[in-house]
Amino acid sequence: MKSVQFHGHGGHDVIQYDEIPDPTPGPDEVKIDVKAAALNHLDVWTRRGMPGIDLSMPHTPGSDAAGVVVEVGENVERFEQNDRVAVSAGVACGRCEFCRDGEESMCVRYQIIGEHRPGVHAEYATVPADNLVPVPEGVDWEVAGSASLVFQTAWRMLVTRADLSPTDSVLVLGASGGVGHAAVQIADHVADEVYATASTEEKLGYAADCGADHVIDYTETNYADRIRDLTGKRGVDVVVDHVAGESWSDSLASLAKGGKLVTCGATAGGQPHTDVNRIFWNQLSVLGSTMATPGEADDALSLVWDGTFEPRIREVVPMSEAARGHEMLENREGFGKVVLKPDSEL
């Protein structure tokens, strides 16, 4: 079969589309015929190399995919041949104190498919049966293959960690990205008022289409100042910040007293300046969040399958051109998800 691979860390030029042996599922695994997959910024970081993660090379990246079951391991009972499924990438041990308490994404041995273990950007992939979600008939493969990681991540951030309520106001940074545009839709579904930042008129328009009531071009104005203007100096109840870096202090400054900043990443830098005085005086909460529990993933994806939420597709790219997809993410081109389809499916 054909598979996206890299034999060493580096730029997008290290990505290849190689011929490799077909995978065979283990006793608790399912083999799927991949119909569509999607890129996330996690794929870029994995390709570049991250401290503390020592991958076996060559490595197949990819955390998002959907397809048809072609073979199941001897212990698998949830799925059978021809079932439509999507990958949910978080792998938990099921035995530690956090797993036993229903907090699988806090597992002490937590891994993510495509980051810590081989991914699913290939014609066929084998994954644990516990990491598959049924996909109803009628859901497009591009939707099924691009929704899982970003919508479950944004759902846990807002619904579980920030405990979002119908009276809350929410600011979403980087609303043109995968997690960002999912967070805007979830916030619009649950909360009272949604603010979003982006860097171009086109991206701001897309954010508004996703449900943002107010959009802010962060290249033209300081978004914390603009939030203060729009809220009568109050600030918002929740900030979704997966950017960090130099704007971290502005995110804290955008919060109302008692507000919550929830983060799942740091694409602009992981060691930002933090105004501790503001945190304690305004009694702010800074909340970390990673992926989601299986139940949270099911809740989020059920609202994708019924059309309440919709992953916006930036472009569909042949899997053999995965390097171009990586380049699009790195250059911050466009809005929404980049979908990869095996060349054999085109």
Side-chain angles (χ1 to χ4, degrees):
M1 70 169 189
K2 287 286 192 176
S3 173
V4 178
Q5 291 200 315
F6 53 83
H7 293 253
H9 296 297
H12 52 79
D13 57 320
V14 304
I15 298 172
Q16 301 179 25
Y17 196 46
D18 291 337
E19 190 84 30
I20 66 171
D22 274 19
T24 300
D28 300 305
E29 293 183 325
V30 171
K31 179 180 177 180
I32 63 172
D33 178 359
V34 174
K35 301 299 183 182
L39 287 168
N40 296 285
H41 277 283
L42 178 60
D43 299 309
V44 173
W45 304 127
T46 302
R47 188 204 73 224
R48 290 175 179 173
M50 292 186 286
I53 299 179
D54 186 16
L55 296 176
S56 297
M57 296 293 179
H59 179 72
T60 298
S63 303
D64 268 333
V68 176
V69 173
V70 294
E71 188 178 350
V72 300
E74 60 187 31
N75 296 335
V76 175
E77 298 181 352
R78 289 181 61 221
F79 299 102
E80 58 186 28
Q81 283 187 353
N82 298 318
D83 282 349
R84 293 163 52 92
V85 294
V87 174
S88 182
V91 182
C93 74
R95 301 184 302 275
C96 71
E97 60 177 302
F98 299 103
C99 287
R100 290 174 62 82
D101 201 33
E103 288 286 2
E104 289 89 346
S105 71
M106 295 174 66
C107 173
V108 298
R109 301 174 185 87
Y110 199 67
Q111 294 186 326
I112 297 176
I113 292 170
E115 180 182 7
H116 307 91
R117 53 169 62 200
V120 292
H121 288 172
E123 290 182 313
Y124 295 93
T126 55
V127 297
D130 287 345
N131 290 94
L132 292 176
V133 178
V135 176
E137 292 287 344
V139 177
D140 290 342
W141 286 124
E142 289 84 355
V143 169
S146 63
S148 179
L149 188 142
V150 296
F151 276 94
Q152 68 174 275
T153 297
W155 183 270
R156 179 172 173 84
M157 291 174 77
L158 284 166
V159 175
T160 303
R161 300 291 285 140
D163 193 22
L164 197 62
S165 79
T167 61
D168 281 341
S169 54
V170 182
L171 167 64
V172 179
L173 302 192
S176 65
V179 169
H181 92 296
V184 169
Q185 294 179 61
I186 294 168
D188 179 52
H189 182 67
V190 178
D192 178 51
E193 201 155 14
V194 184
Y195 304 79
T197 71
S199 60
T200 68
E201 284 297 323
E202 181 183 24
K203 292 178 180 179
L204 293 170
Y206 279 123
D209 288 343
C210 284
D213 301 295
H214 309 274
V215 293
I216 302 168
D217 185 340
Y218 67 82
T219 69
E220 297 289 337
T221 186
N222 179 278
Y223 66 80
D225 292 341
R226 184 63 178 144
I227 288 293
R228 290 290 169 183
D229 290 341
L230 291 169
T231 61
K233 298 184 179 181
R234 177 186 181 273
V236 296
D237 299 296
V238 176
V239 172
V240 175
D241 186 339
H242 53 96
V243 180
E246 293 182 1
S247 67
W248 182 259
S249 57
D250 288 327
S251 293
L252 292 172
S254 299
L255 285 168
K257 287 208 168 192
K260 306 167 186 175
L261 189 158
V262 60
T263 178
C264 69
T267 58
Q271 300 291 329
H273 170 76
T274 296
D275 186 350
V276 175
N277 292 331
R278 182 185 295 276
I279 292 173
F280 74 70
W281 186 253
N282 287 348
Q283 302 187 53
L284 307 178
S285 300
V286 177
L287 306 169
S289 191
T290 295
M291 297 293 285
T293 67
E296 291 163 344
D298 288 346
D299 289 345
L301 290 175
S302 69
L303 293 170
V304 176
W305 307 154
D306 74 8
T308 302
F309 303 145
E310 178 188 355
R312 301 306 203 264
I313 307 302
R314 186 181 319 188
E315 188 170 336
V316 178
V317 177
M319 208 168 266
S320 61
E321 299 178 21
R324 181 163 69 88
H326 278 241
E327 188 175 11
M328 291 170 64
L329 262 63
E330 290 177 292
N331 293 340
R332 299 170 60 241
E333 299 175 17
F335 184 96
K337 300 284 292 184
V338 176
V339 171
L340 302 179
K341 295 196 79 170
D343 291 40
S344 56
E345 294 292 330
L346 296 171

